Amino acid sequence: MLEASPVSSAVAMRSVQTTTIAGQRFVFTKHSPSGAASDLALVLFNGGQVPRDGHAGLNVRLADTAAACGLSAYRVDLPGLGDAPGPLPTTAAEFWHANALGLQTEAALQVLSHLQAQAPHQRLLVGGLCGAANNALFCAARRPGLIQGLVLIEPELFFGAAPGSAAAERTPERAHAWLPKLCSRQAWLRLLTSENRYTRSRPVLRRLLMAMAPRAVLLGGSTNGPLAEAFASACHAGLPMLCILALDGRRALHVERVERTLIPRRARALLDKEMLAGTNHVLTEGGAIERCAHALERWLSRRWSSPGPVPGASAQRV
């Protein structure tokens, strides 16, 4: 059963749709181009626990950009997130750990298979921010051929703090506890990258410390092996990928390490990377959302022969 309620937009016609797949109710917003749609479609999943509009409307902006370039675009709420019912782990740390192991992969595959069945000739580009990028990689590894391209924004190719650990418990009592931080590899990574408020304002000092710190010590032991292998497999399979990263961030360091370790240069021919300076992990600083949208527009034009946006359409801000 499919229900739709149209929402007018200067960029594209949007419709909020619900569908039930294998007993699970899914909710998504479709952005349709104003003219004839191409055979490409962009599918964006939840970035972590955030509803389908994304941090500061990131997914809305990307979906509008895709629609302005002639694509259909879908912003999807997976089970338990946004408007979609369903169970979730109790704590944020448990959610992220489960997500890193593929918690939402099966549900994401159900959505992609449903969209493919609705339009058999439609080619799917899949991705989103952080956890959504992880889902896209796992889906591509599980169902080769279902996905024709990946849009990976700050993919998290490492495991965070283990659920129940001192580093994962952000209680007021532990907010200023230094000993757990001194013993945490992730805390040191935050200090030496752009994710720490103390060193962010001292870029020269931070980069000097980073240059002195051994990469193997900083990154060793935390890489998410299955996810890194999925990333490498997508490159080896020749799957076109747009990878957008915050410059000097933790995720950029891990992507760089996986590239050097698992992906020879010849296998990176279809990997396009965009490094965004002066922003944070969720791209809510320094005008990064607009720059991210422009990167998507350029990639669609370069890799997929998109005709480009309708004049003036991509200027709308939601």
Side-chain angles (χ1 to χ4, degrees):
M1 178 180 179
L2 188 66
E3 303 170 357
S5 57
V7 179
S8 63
S9 167
V11 176
M13 176 63 71
R14 302 179 194 167
S15 57
V16 178
Q17 306 180 350
T18 64
T19 188
T20 300
I21 307 171
Q24 171 64 53
R25 180 171 174 264
F26 292 90
V27 183
F28 52 93
T29 300
K30 179 181 180 181
H31 295 233
S32 301
S34 56
S38 77
D39 64 343
L40 287 172
L42 175 65
V43 184
L44 299 168
F45 292 118
N46 305 91
Q49 308 100 313
V50 177
R52 64 185 181 276
D53 57 341
H55 296 76
L58 171 63
N59 283 358
V60 175
R61 185 69 181 87
L62 295 179
D64 274 348
T65 296
C69 291
L71 283 68
S72 296
Y74 302 87
R75 297 185 282 112
V76 183
D77 274 337
L78 291 173
L81 301 173
D83 295 319
L88 284 177
T90 305
T91 68
E94 290 171 339
F95 172 82
W96 279 112
H97 187 72
N99 182 276
L101 296 172
L103 167 70
Q104 299 171 313
T105 303
E106 187 58 41
L109 283 171
Q110 289 176 338
V111 171
L112 296 177
S113 297
H114 169 77
L115 293 175
Q116 188 74 70
Q118 294 292 309
H121 301 295
Q122 189 169 243
R123 295 180 294 164
L124 300 178
L125 311 177
V126 183
L129 173 73
C130 193
N134 293 0
N135 277 332
L137 284 168
F138 279 136
C139 287
R142 284 268 303 273
R143 289 280 303 277
L146 179 63
I147 296 172
Q148 279 69 54
L150 295 169
V151 179
L152 310 177
I153 305 171
E154 284 277 279
E156 194 160 294
L157 306 184
F158 58 88
F159 289 110
S165 67
E169 299 296 330
R170 297 185 179 182
T171 60
E173 295 79 13
R174 289 176 173 164
H176 302 289
W178 286 99
L179 184 57
K181 295 178 182 179
L182 288 173
C183 300
S184 168
R185 182 182 283 113
Q186 293 302 323
W188 277 103
L189 269 174
R190 287 192 186 93
L191 182 70
L192 297 177
T193 60
S194 60
E195 298 179 31
N196 183 277
R197 65 179 182 274
Y198 299 113
T199 53
R200 188 182 303 175
S201 60
R202 301 168 178 83
V204 175
L205 175 62
R206 176 173 55 77
R207 286 171 183 150
L208 177 62
L209 292 173
M210 176 61 80
M212 296 169 59
R215 288 290 201 277
V217 174
L218 281 177
L219 305 179
S222 61
T223 299
N224 184 334
L227 195 57
E229 290 174 7
F231 185 88
S233 295
C235 285
H236 285 287
L239 199 63
M241 284 191 283
L242 172 62
C243 188
I244 300 175
L245 297 158
L247 183 66
D248 294 333
R250 283 186 297 159
R251 289 144 193 94
L253 286 176
H254 280 273
V255 168
E256 177 190 24
R257 186 192 193 208
V258 169
E259 281 186 84
R260 290 182 176 180
T261 306
L262 299 178
I263 310 170
R265 188 172 297 276
R266 65 180 180 277
R268 305 177 205 167
L270 296 181
L271 172 60
D272 294 298
K273 289 172 64 178
E274 292 274 350
M275 308 299 290
L276 303 182
T279 192
N280 54 17
H281 167 50
V282 294
L283 310 188
T284 54
E285 296 178 353
I289 288 178
E290 288 300 313
R291 288 185 281 153
C292 187
H294 290 312
L296 174 63
E297 179 186 315
R298 289 192 300 270
W299 183 69
L300 290 173
S301 176
R302 181 169 61 249
R303 292 295 186 191
W304 303 96
S305 300
S306 164
V310 176
S314 63
Q316 179 179 349
R317 179 70 186 166
V318 179

